[in-house]
Amino acid sequence: MIIKIIGSSAGGGFPQWNCNGPQSRAVRRGEAAFSRRTQSSIAVSANGTDWALFNASPDIGEQIAATPALQPGTDGPLRASPIKAVLVTNGDIDHIAGLLTLREKQAFSLYGARPVLETLAANPIFDALDAELVARRELSLGRAIELEGPDGALGLTIEPYAVPGKIPLYLEDVGRNPADFMSDEGDAIGLAITDRETSATAHYIPGCAAIDDQLRARLESAELVLFDGTLFTDTEMPDQGLGPKTGKRMGHISISGADGTLAALDGLDIKRRIFVHINNSNPILDERSSERKTVEDAGWAIGFDGMEISL
Ligand code: MLT
Ligand code: MN
């Protein structure tokens, strides 16, 4: 199984178009300690030919342009794409807006849990993805299924599971409105992605508000975990004057702290741990920072655009 991190940033990207914070300025200037990052997505393939995208970011056009494996083959028909399936882990704009870029009458399967499929169905702009060609396939939490493209199975099994998370920002105060906008009913999901032939398994959890015993148990003995690396500290955005919201309010666990990700997953037998969905405020983006060193010393890698993992 090949996993390509095609977008390692959180919503907004790095640099974020309207951000003049010190890190966005530094990457815009081309400082060596910083790398540009596009928004949250990975591509996975069992055979190296057919690909599934996990999340469709607003930067998907740029991501496909940077990734030859996701482009039509040079000897392919006039309309072609190796992207056979797209799975969205929640309804956040950084995870679904790229679907609109895939509207040119190309067949693929579109997977999501019920809340996000309902959101897509309720927004007629997504009808641009012709249902005749882009079959919506609902994921049931806790039920493993084989991913299928229009021409058959992709050799990947996925098991979706609910993680503590938040409803999308644009659905706050409209419609269904859980307490504090938090949800553990599939508004945010994690995925175990397994290569059917080799049984190699990766966990992909780009958005998560908390790590409980159930999630810890699930991740024990994992070969690879790609995990929500949005913030280093809960108050990082207000501290930097970038906005009023804490990580808790945004539904993102922090990397540091007593109940942060480093501490919560410490001691588990996980072979590779990689942070993805990293916000432009996060000091781990600076390769010289002490926070970066803390994270690396704890056995974590910092995902980057173009990072490829073979399992
Ligand atoms: C998030 O991960 O919290 C969202 O992508 C934020 C947003 O929708 O901009
Ligand atoms: Mn996001």
Side-chain angles (χ1 to χ4, degrees):
M1 174 163 65
I2 308 163
I3 298 168
K4 289 175 185 282
I5 298 178
I6 58 173
S8 56
S9 170
F14 187 56
Q16 178 173 308
W17 69 282
N18 65 340
C19 184
N20 235 344
Q23 298 207 121
S24 282
R25 289 168 89 113
V27 72
R28 203 174 277 128
R29 271 198 308 271
E31 275 193 26
F34 295 88
S35 309
R36 297 176 62 86
R37 287 157 198 276
T38 59
Q39 294 168 77
S40 183
S41 181
I42 64 170
V44 182
S45 176
N47 61 11
T49 306
D50 301 313
W51 290 83
L53 294 188
F54 292 78
N55 290 319
S57 115
D59 300 321
I60 194 168
E62 187 182 337
Q63 293 166 341
I64 292 172
T67 314
L70 300 180
Q71 299 165 9
T74 45
D75 54 356
L78 276 175
R79 286 279 193 272
S81 172
I83 299 169
K84 303 298 181 192
V86 178
L87 187 154
V88 289
T89 57
N90 65 9
D92 281 351
I93 289 171
D94 55 346
H95 287 164
I96 62 170
L99 290 171
L100 298 175
T101 298
L102 304 179
R103 67 188 177 281
E104 279 89 11
K105 301 279 178 201
Q106 185 69 38
F108 64 90
S109 309
L110 173 53
Y111 290 87
R114 177 167 301 190
V116 58
L117 290 188
E118 282 177 354
T119 298
L120 297 177
N123 283 274
I125 193 168
F126 288 102
D127 294 345
L129 297 174
D130 183 349
E132 296 273 305
L133 293 169
V134 181
R136 276 66 163 175
R137 296 172 190 250
E138 186 177 324
L139 298 170
S140 301
L141 300 175
R143 214 178 105 223
I145 55 155
E146 205 176 328
L147 273 193
E148 283 185 24
D151 326 309
L154 301 182
L156 298 168
T157 305
I158 53 153
E159 185 186 346
Y161 48 88
V163 295
K166 196 182 80 57
I167 62 167
L169 192 56
Y170 57 84
L171 291 182
E172 291 184 4
D173 299 321
V174 293
R176 202 166 56 88
N177 211 346
D180 300 334
F181 311 115
M182 300 303 285
S183 161
D184 53 11
E185 293 158 26
D187 289 276
I189 59 171
L191 296 165
I193 309 167
T194 302
D195 183 317
R196 274 179 65 86
E197 210 165 289
T198 66
S199 296
T201 297
H203 287 261
Y204 177 52
I205 310 171
C208 185
I211 298 174
D212 53 20
D213 287 341
Q214 205 182 343
L215 183 53
R216 251 190 302 273
R218 199 183 273 283
L219 299 183
E220 174 64 49
S221 306
E223 285 158 85
L224 171 66
V225 174
L226 300 166
F227 197 82
D228 181 346
T230 309
L231 301 174
F232 192 76
T233 46
D234 190 52
T235 56
E236 178 177 306
M237 289 191 44
D239 289 350
Q240 294 180 31
L242 294 174
K245 284 193 181 166
T246 60
K248 288 199 175 78
R249 176 63 183 80
M250 295 189 292
H252 292 292
I253 188 173
S254 296
I255 291 174
S256 66
D259 52 3
T261 304
L262 295 189
L265 298 185
D266 186 33
L268 291 195
D269 175 24
I270 299 172
K271 224 176 257 161
R272 283 185 84 174
R273 311 160 185 239
I274 301 176
F275 282 119
V276 293
H277 193 279
I278 306 167
N279 195 51
N280 58 69
S281 56
N282 192 325
I284 65 169
L285 292 175
D286 183 346
E287 289 172 17
R288 305 155 305 186
S289 68
S290 61
E291 292 87 352
R292 173 83 159 222
K293 188 166 183 324
T294 300
V295 163
E296 287 174 343
D297 287 350
W300 285 79
I302 287 87
F304 56 87
D305 289 24
M307 187 177 195
E308 186 172 314
I309 303 122
S310 289
L311 273 193

